[in-house]
Amino acid sequence: MNLATAVLAGTLLACTLGVLGLHAYTRGKAQREDLLDRLTSTGPIPTLRRHRFRPLDRRLRRTRLGRGIANRIATTGLTLTPAEYVVYVVAALAALALVAASVFAPFFGLLAALIGIWGAKAFLDWQRTKRTEAFINQLPELTRVLANATQAGLALRTAISMAADELDDPARTELRRVSDQLAVGHSLDDALNELNNRLPSRELTVLVSTLILSNRAGGTIVTSLRNLTDTLEERKETRREVTTLLSQVKVTAVAVPVLGLGFLILVNSMRDGALDDMTGSTLGRIAVVVAVSLYALGFFFINRLTRVRI
């Protein structure tokens, strides 16, 4: 009886130690993965969201392509990892090619996949431009906060940290990143220049140059910031007017390819299998490629003509 009790007690102790060991192992593995994500991450990704495809993400970040994707995502403010972006893009390309091949013809599935690859890159560019525009609209308020803080006797580093607490995104995230870089020993010049590289614009370049020169040579930074605030307010109104005037032309740039797609649907609905017959020959495929290229050139040139630099 005593032997049986001892065996039972030993078994329970071994099971308990095994459960505790397994718990400690899983917790340590999770902490290690979180540490690797923080060390390899280039953007502000919230820790509350569970990351997907972590093994693929770690492998992808070791490649040049993965690092390039991570840098582009970091400038957009999206909470995606490079692995998530690649997996979502591949899934979207497969779905787009399948839909185009089933609705039109199998040859159009290949064209849709190629257009989708361009669209994936254009999506990141659009997100970056959108974030830059939102940050530019916050620059007058940012310069006003910096001017008030420096006039109250605060240092420029403290003023930037205060602006990060008072402003909304994307200025809050970007200024908090600058403040964190200053806290770990980066110089003000490097932190502000990196901000300017992430969100390139003429307005931000002027602000960064003003802050750097004032920090180096001293002088009336309050007066400079207040004058810059008035200038940025005027440029903000001018940009809004230009955007309103060019909105119709930008809609035309999107409407032209949509009309071409509508014509294809109309031709295929008039006679079932017309697109299959057209893409069944080499000449027909060349004609389709030339037509798609002309539509792409029209979209490109319209966008170039409506790109007004203020």
Side-chain angles (χ1 to χ4, degrees):
M1 187 66 178
N2 293 333
L3 180 60
T5 304
V7 171
L8 180 60
T11 304
L12 291 176
L13 180 60
C15 292
T16 303
L17 293 177
V19 171
L20 293 177
L22 180 62
H23 177 71
Y25 171 77
T26 55
R27 185 176 60 181
K29 183 179 179 181
Q31 291 177 352
R32 179 178 179 273
E33 291 178 351
D34 291 337
L35 179 60
L36 288 176
D37 289 338
R38 289 197 299 268
L39 291 176
T40 57
S41 177
T42 58
I45 301 176
T47 57
L48 295 179
R49 191 178 68 86
R50 182 176 179 82
H51 301 170
R52 301 179 180 91
F53 318 114
R54 286 187 174 183
L56 176 62
D57 187 66
R58 286 195 292 270
R59 294 187 181 93
L60 191 61
R61 288 180 187 272
R62 298 190 186 104
T63 63
R64 183 177 179 181
L65 176 63
R67 290 191 295 270
I69 294 175
N71 292 331
R72 295 181 68 87
I73 293 177
T75 61
T76 62
L78 298 175
T79 58
L80 290 175
T81 62
E84 290 175 340
Y85 174 77
V86 170
V87 170
Y88 295 157
V89 167
V90 171
L93 291 179
L96 185 63
L98 181 62
V99 171
S102 59
V103 173
F104 301 107
F107 181 72
F108 287 92
L110 176 61
L111 292 179
L114 295 177
I115 295 174
I117 294 175
W118 169 83
K121 178 180 179 298
F123 173 74
L124 293 182
D125 294 338
W126 174 69
Q127 285 289 337
R128 181 185 183 185
T129 303
K130 181 181 176 182
R131 185 177 177 84
T132 303
E133 292 290 338
F135 188 80
I136 291 174
N137 292 332
Q138 292 180 295
L139 284 181
E141 186 178 359
L142 170 60
T143 54
R144 190 177 296 110
V145 172
L146 293 178
N148 294 335
T150 52
Q151 187 177 18
L154 297 177
L156 185 57
R157 295 170 180 251
T158 308
I160 293 175
S161 178
M162 180 182 297
D165 295 333
E166 293 185 4
L167 298 178
D168 297 329
D169 283 329
R172 173 182 297 174
T173 302
E174 295 297 334
L175 293 177
R176 188 169 294 165
R177 183 182 299 182
V178 173
S179 180
D180 292 340
Q181 290 175 343
L182 295 176
V184 296
H186 288 260
S187 65
L188 183 65
D189 297 9
D190 294 339
L192 292 178
N193 286 326
E194 185 177 343
L195 172 63
N196 193 24
N197 292 332
R198 287 196 303 269
L199 303 173
S201 64
R202 292 186 176 183
E203 291 85 349
L204 183 57
T205 301
V206 173
L207 175 60
V208 168
S209 301
T210 301
L211 295 177
I212 291 177
L213 291 176
S214 300
N215 182 64
R216 288 180 180 177
T220 57
I221 184 174
V222 177
T223 305
S224 301
L225 288 175
R226 294 202 181 280
N227 294 334
L228 184 59
T229 300
D230 298 334
T231 304
L232 291 175
E233 288 284 0
E234 295 176 359
R235 289 179 64 87
K236 180 179 177 180
E237 294 299 326
T238 305
R239 292 170 66 90
R240 184 181 292 113
E241 292 176 3
V242 171
T243 302
T244 303
L245 292 175
L246 297 178
S247 59
Q248 184 177 359
V249 183
K250 292 182 178 180
V251 171
T252 304
V254 179
V256 170
V258 171
L259 287 176
L261 185 63
F263 289 148
L264 287 177
I265 297 176
L266 181 62
V267 169
N268 200 41
S269 62
M270 293 175 61
R271 187 174 73 85
D272 191 20
L275 297 180
D276 290 328
D277 297 337
M278 182 177 64
T279 57
S281 61
T282 304
L283 184 61
R285 294 174 182 174
I286 294 175
V288 171
V289 172
V290 171
V292 172
S293 301
L294 291 177
Y295 276 113
L297 283 176
F299 180 81
F300 172 76
F301 283 124
I302 292 176
N303 278 331
R304 291 290 294 181
L305 290 174
T306 57
R307 189 179 300 174
V308 179
R309 302 189 67 179
I310 303 174

